[in-house]
Structure formats: C-alpha cells, structure tokens
Amino acid sequence: MIVTAFDSRLAKQMQPGAFLAFREHPGLRLVATQTKRTWTYRYASPATGQQKQMRLGQWPALGFGLAVEAWEKARGQR
C-alpha cells in the first residue's frame, strides 16, 4: 500500500506479507511479518538493474523519522 504519511495505527494492523511504501521517500518500505515490522530500502542495482533490498531497522525501535534518516544515508551511499 502506498501512503503519503506514516500512521502507527496502520502499521500495527498490518497483516504478514503486507508493506507500506511512502510517496515522498521512494524505496522506503515498512514490511510486516508474523512477529515484526522491518524498515527496508528497495532499489535497482546500477550495475545489473536487478532489485536489491537493504534492511534499515525494526519498527517501533526505529521510528519513522530515524528510518527516513537511514533511508537518506543508504540512498546517498548507493
């Protein structure tokens, strides 16, 4: 589901396999499993064009603001 703003209530209600993507932050996702919610950064490899994924941290220990900072850092390194 693509959203414009983070909502913790929505994050808590996510079913396993679901994810939230953010319009203003391309590639930043909150992915749900049975037991946890993980922030990830998805991008296309510049060398091969294949989709890659990098874990940034787990929610709620890593809040949305810190996840955006980690996403910006990872995006700058790529």
Side-chain angles (χ1 to χ4, degrees):
M1 172 185 297
I2 298 175
V3 296
T4 56
F6 179 73
D7 181 0
S8 62
R9 290 176 294 165
L10 185 59
K12 289 177 186 176
Q13 296 172 355
M14 291 171 59
Q15 298 297 316
F19 67 89
L20 296 177
F22 304 89
R23 280 192 208 286
E24 290 92 28
H25 311 291
L28 178 63
R29 291 178 169 211
L30 181 63
V31 180
T33 66
Q34 187 69 32
T35 58
K36 58 188 171 184
R37 310 289 183 265
T38 305
W39 293 108
T40 61
Y41 172 43
R42 289 181 44 121
Y43 61 95
S45 168
T48 63
Q50 292 181 334
Q51 287 290 313
K52 301 277 185 176
Q53 184 166 295
M54 178 187 307
R55 287 189 192 128
L56 303 175
Q58 289 186 4
W59 180 83
L62 185 68
F64 180 69
L66 293 175
V68 169
E69 287 179 20
W71 166 81
E72 288 172 342
K73 182 178 177 184
R75 193 172 180 204
Q77 291 173 349
R78 183 181 59 89

